[in-house]
Amino acid sequence: MEIYWETRIIRGFSDLEYRGNFRTMKIKSVRGTHDLLPEATQLWQEIEAAARHNFGLYGYAELRTPIFEETELFARSIGAATDIVQKEMYTFADSKGKTFSLRPEGTASVVRAFIEHGLHHDGGIHRLYYIGPMFRHERPQKGRYRQFHQIGVEVLGSDHPALEAEVIEMLHRFFEHLEVEGLELLVNSVGCTNCRPAYIQLLREQLNTQASDWCSQCRQRAETNPLRVLDCKTPDCQPLIEKLPTIEEHLCEECRRHFSRFRNYLDLQQVPYRVDPRLVRGLDYYVRTTFEMVSDRLGPTQNAVVGGGRYDGLVEILGGPATRGFGFALGIERLVTVMGERPNKSQSVAPDLFLGFLDDASFEECIQLASHLRGEGIHAYLDFQGRSLKAQMRLANRLGSRFTCVVGEEEMTSGRFPLKRMEDGHLVTVTREEISVQVKS
Ligand code: AMP
């Protein structure tokens, strides 16, 4: 869509003085961001409503946090060595030199709010969800944008593997509700602070022995974040990745037991999955269970619709008491792509009743009538573009209005209004009060 903006030539923001030089400048949306036009927002509303409904059935409540936070929140929680913190955050300073970032993901903010408002004081399990935009300065491509939207879930206060399986079962119910098919659930364990360091060290050693064979990004990751090498999509690295040891063989007894119980609960709930020993998540705070839901409709690289896992240490990292956490984030744009073209099931925008008028006095009557009918829950419509009555009726047809009612002097004096059902031309004359009853019937 093109938007034209009339600008005057100005010198800096404060100089709005007209200098006699008009210019027409075309302003477009920022690269990697998108407008959602009304035909798209209907599906988005449906997706959001399905999330609210289904998550509500499992006791989840919505949390809304600001879209920007102190940069340190993300640096500390996501990890200073991650791509997100190193390269992808939109960071800015305010006039006092404080540094803020647009949120690149939701978990850090949820945990920050959880601690700030002392939600942990009751010692129970907290089930939270959020819906909103996230911002990452990535190279825009299909399925990867600079502003994108996530629906996320966080459950704080339990390390029970059955709760992890329940969260995943809830996701299944959500997808079923939206009739989404073809998603595959991949699960893995990334170990814990006891067993993972030794595995990472082993990876690092192996990567360093054949350093020249790996892509430059993997060589760098060998130093900063060796787990992420498993995630590399470069074709030349794939046979090398196959030869690397898997974390499965290096899990400690507790992690192994946790992972096995988690899988048993998935079986119990009849949720199909595949263990993918290469599945790691990009963020430092994940421990033990991780999972993704992928679709081959998204192509080979950006194929994950959902990503999530356990983050037991995060609340402590951010200054709160030891609290277990598990959650996921789902990308709405990718979900919409997976859903493809859908017949529009949402409520139609066609008016219930089109009010036609002949002159200024009946226009005023129609304004009042429309207001009264909207109060009764009726979608009433009238023309604001000075059309003739004939043109107003053409518009009523074009909009697909179910009823029309033409108001003139006679109707205003008698208080009786001709109501025409457009489908079959059936005409009844009714009082002001009877209009809504007729339209609703
Ligand atoms: P993450 O927070 O990276 O674990 O991502 C969780 C989900 O958010 C992914 O599976 C995607 O569906 C979505 N997502 C992440 N980054 C982007 C992006 N740049 N553009 C669109 N969707 C994204």
Side-chain angles (χ1 to χ4, degrees), residues 61-335:
E62 186 179 4
L63 180 73
R64 298 189 190 193
T65 61
I67 61 160
F68 69 102
E69 301 267 4
E70 289 189 24
T71 301
E72 202 195 331
L73 172 70
F74 304 116
R76 253 210 269 166
S77 59
I78 300 171
T82 55
D83 284 354
I84 292 184
V85 171
Q86 287 206 335
K87 305 190 267 205
E88 296 170 2
M89 288 209 296
Y90 283 91
T91 297
F92 55 96
D94 72 359
S95 58
K96 295 202 173 90
K98 275 197 126 187
T99 312
F100 303 100
S101 297
L102 296 183
R103 60 182 186 193
E105 55 102 57
T107 306
S109 301
V110 170
V111 171
R112 196 256 319 127
F114 176 79
I115 299 168
E116 186 171 335
H117 301 285
L119 299 186
H120 48 84
H121 287 318
D122 69 5
I125 296 179
H126 292 265
R127 293 173 165 87
L128 304 163
Y129 74 86
Y130 57 84
I131 301 177
M134 306 293 156
F135 307 85
R136 293 184 199 170
H137 191 269
E138 299 188 89
R139 194 170 59 79
Q141 52 185 281
K142 189 169 176 282
R144 193 188 265 192
Y145 312 108
R146 290 182 170 171
Q147 175 173 331
F148 58 98
H149 298 77
Q150 287 185 335
I151 297 178
V153 155
E154 313 293 352
V155 46
L156 290 144
S158 167
D159 66 349
H160 206 302
L163 202 56
E164 299 170 355
E166 188 190 80
V167 167
I168 292 174
E169 194 248 333
M170 176 173 88
L171 257 174
H172 267 262
R173 194 175 290 276
F174 163 78
F175 287 129
E176 239 171 55
H177 182 132
L178 290 171
E179 295 171 18
V180 178
E181 284 167 1
L183 287 178
E184 186 182 18
L185 170 65
L186 307 177
V187 300
N188 192 24
S189 173
V190 290
C192 66
T193 46
N194 287 334
C195 53
R196 194 167 44 190
Y199 174 66
I200 289 179
Q201 188 50 32
L202 188 68
L203 273 187
R204 188 172 277 135
E205 280 162 17
Q206 291 231 356
L207 291 165
N208 286 336
T209 54
Q210 0 148 289
S212 56
D213 299 345
W214 294 91
C215 72
S216 61
Q217 207 172 29
C218 282
R219 283 204 299 273
Q220 199 190 341
R221 282 175 175 161
E223 294 312 315
T224 55
N225 200 348
L227 267 188
R228 287 300 309 276
V229 169
L230 301 176
D231 215 13
C232 176
K233 302 284 190 275
T234 311
D236 286 351
C237 293
Q238 300 313 304
L240 301 171
I241 293 173
E242 285 304 314
K243 288 197 201 111
L244 289 175
T246 65
I247 192 158
E248 213 175 352
E249 303 143 18
H250 298 270
L251 292 179
C252 61
E253 194 41 47
E254 273 188 59
C255 285
R256 197 183 299 277
R257 199 172 115 75
H258 185 96
F259 192 42
S260 148
R261 289 176 71 205
F262 163 67
R263 288 179 350 224
N264 281 340
Y265 288 118
L266 284 181
D267 294 336
L268 196 71
Q269 316 233 41
Q270 294 177 331
V271 175
Y273 62 86
R274 179 162 66 84
V275 177
D276 178 356
R278 313 279 166 192
L279 177 71
V280 290
R281 312 271 309 135
L283 314 185
D284 278 1
Y285 55 60
Y286 284 105
V287 292
R288 291 194 174 159
T289 314
T290 62
F291 73 98
E292 272 186 4
M293 293 180 89
V294 297
S295 165
D296 49 20
R297 283 200 183 186
L298 292 172
T301 50
Q302 313 299 326
N303 65 347
V305 180
V306 184
R310 170 159 294 285
Y311 49 85
D312 287 349
L314 184 59
V315 182
E316 272 173 294
I317 292 174
L318 294 177
T323 310
R324 314 301 183 128
F326 182 78
F328 68 78
L330 170 158
I332 305 184
E333 284 83 354
R334 291 194 197 170
L335 174 58

